[in-house]
């Protein structure tokens, strides 16, 4: 530990550049996929009928449990099937995936298709389950 402090003191310019780059990367990655919404925030919007959930998981995972009223459009076909969401242009679109890792790509694609009000579910369906919120099967 003493050697770490010695290194930092002797190479403060190098260490400060490293910290600056690390912060820049973290900021860029957090903003890259658009705005996030918590599971509780999503419930609030859904209950007010101000949002629709787009589940980008594959059909098998979607069948195992989904958010009530969600629309299943797998990530690999989001570009070709984005027009199915045209009736929801006046609502917020919440993109949900399994763990919250791939929803950023879907948000980017939907924004490129002209949808402005797109959010991603923070933590995906896993966070939804962890919050003890219901999933519908069938």
């Amino acid at each position: 530990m003493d050697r770490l402090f010695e290194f930092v003191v002797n190479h403060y310019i190098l260490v400060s550049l490293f910290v600056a780059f690390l912060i820049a990367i973290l900021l860029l990655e957090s903003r890259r996929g658009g705005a996030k919404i918590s599971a509780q925030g999503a419930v609030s919007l859904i209950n007010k009928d101000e949002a629709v959930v787009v589940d980008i998981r594959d059909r098998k995972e979607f069948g195992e449990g989904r958010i009530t009223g969600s629309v299943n459009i797998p990530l690999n076909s989001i570009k070709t099937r984005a027009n199915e969401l045209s009736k929801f242009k006046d609502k917020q679109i919440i993109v949900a995936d399994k763990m919250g890792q791939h929803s950023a790509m879907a948000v980017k694609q939907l924004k490129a298709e002209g949808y402005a009000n797109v959010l991603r579910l923070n933590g995906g369906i896993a966070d939804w389950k962890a919050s003890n919120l219901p999933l519908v099967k069938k």
Side-chain angles (χ1 to χ4, degrees):
M1 199 60 151
D2 292 333
R3 300 188 91 190
L4 177 66
F5 292 123
E6 182 182 342
F7 180 83
V8 170
V9 170
N10 289 336
H11 304 286
Y12 64 92
I13 295 173
L14 183 64
V15 171
S16 62
L17 285 174
F18 173 74
V19 170
F21 284 132
L22 186 64
I23 290 171
I25 289 172
L26 290 175
L27 285 174
L28 286 174
E29 285 298 313
S30 68
R31 293 182 184 172
R32 180 178 63 122
K36 296 179 185 177
I37 189 168
S38 67
Q40 295 300 329
V43 167
S44 176
L45 285 177
I46 293 167
N47 286 342
K48 292 179 192 174
D49 198 32
E50 295 176 359
V52 64
V53 178
V54 176
D55 196 323
I56 60 169
R57 298 177 296 160
D58 62 20
R59 187 172 298 215
K60 180 184 174 206
E61 290 175 333
F62 183 75
E64 292 172 359
R66 61 182 172 85
I67 298 171
T68 304
S70 61
V71 178
N72 181 236
I73 302 178
L75 180 61
N76 58 3
S77 61
I78 198 105
K79 281 185 180 177
T80 57
R81 294 181 56 193
N83 60 346
E84 294 176 24
L85 300 173
S86 61
K87 58 187 169 192
F88 303 116
K89 277 218 180 216
D90 60 330
K91 295 184 178 185
Q92 289 276 349
I93 297 174
I94 301 172
V95 178
D97 63 349
K98 188 173 183 177
M99 303 285 290
Q101 298 170 337
H102 303 291
S103 57
M105 288 188 294
V107 168
K108 188 175 180 180
Q109 289 176 359
L110 286 173
K111 284 187 175 184
E113 293 290 328
Y115 296 94
N117 298 323
V118 185
L119 302 170
R120 56 188 178 137
L121 183 62
N122 192 24
I125 298 295
D127 188 53
W128 185 273
K129 285 181 187 176
S131 298
N132 291 323
L133 295 168
L135 291 176
V136 178
K137 293 184 180 180
K138 194 263 174 207

